[in-house]
Amino acid sequence: MPLSEHEQRMLEQMERALYAEDPKFASALEGNGLRTYTRRRVYQAVAGFLVGIALLMAGMVAQLIWISVVGFLVMLGCAVLAVTGWRKAPKPGETPKGHTARRPARRKRTVMERIEDRWQRRRDEQGH
């Protein structure tokens, strides 16, 4: 059963109020977990790459070749992680490749859809 115009307006007002009051929380409710994960992975890889540069330079300054080699390997590994993580990150509104192969993908519901579902359940429980 679709919502009446009055109910729809109330829900829209509630959603706007949620965004106005706490936009970070509201966007977290809608965020795509996979995109956030891949973005975090790329950031970690970039930080690791910088650590690798520091190790490489420290090995050169201390004239210890093995530290420089370890630094280079860390840089190489982190560069590979960053590039593969960046390529695997789905675009906004896009479903990830291979995600539906094992099980059907569940679409993330928006804040508005969850509020509508709760509203409908309450109405059904009250007998309307």
Side-chain angles (χ1 to χ4, degrees):
M1 173 181 204
L3 298 174
S4 70
E5 288 182 31
H6 175 70
E7 293 168 341
Q8 187 69 31
R9 277 184 298 210
M10 286 178 55
L11 287 173
E12 288 171 1
Q13 287 175 353
M14 291 168 58
E15 186 177 24
R16 281 193 300 268
L18 177 64
Y19 274 104
E21 185 177 316
D22 195 356
K24 188 174 180 181
F25 175 69
S27 63
L29 291 176
E30 292 181 337
N32 186 341
L34 184 62
R35 279 196 79 201
T36 305
Y37 169 75
T38 53
R39 187 180 307 138
R40 186 180 316 131
R41 181 177 169 195
V42 169
Y43 290 151
Q44 289 172 346
V46 169
F49 187 84
L50 295 175
V51 169
I53 289 174
L55 284 172
L56 181 72
M57 298 304 271
M60 290 174 64
V61 169
Q63 295 181 350
L64 295 171
I65 303 235
W66 67 273
I67 293 178
S68 296
V69 171
V70 169
F72 177 76
L73 293 175
V74 168
M75 287 171 48
L76 183 64
C78 289
V80 169
L81 281 176
V83 170
T84 58
W86 193 267
R87 287 184 183 166
K88 289 181 182 179
K91 305 288 184 265
E94 178 182 85
T95 57
K97 295 177 185 174
H99 194 264
T100 58
R102 294 186 181 180
R103 60 184 172 156
R106 288 193 328 176
R107 185 177 68 86
K108 268 215 178 260
R109 297 183 325 167
T110 63
V111 173
M112 192 68 165
E113 289 171 337
R114 287 191 297 258
I115 292 172
E116 288 174 2
D117 289 344
R118 288 183 195 148
W119 183 266
Q120 189 60 40
R121 269 188 263 128
R122 287 185 190 142
R123 291 196 65 180
D124 291 343
E125 288 172 0
Q126 293 175 356
H128 289 123

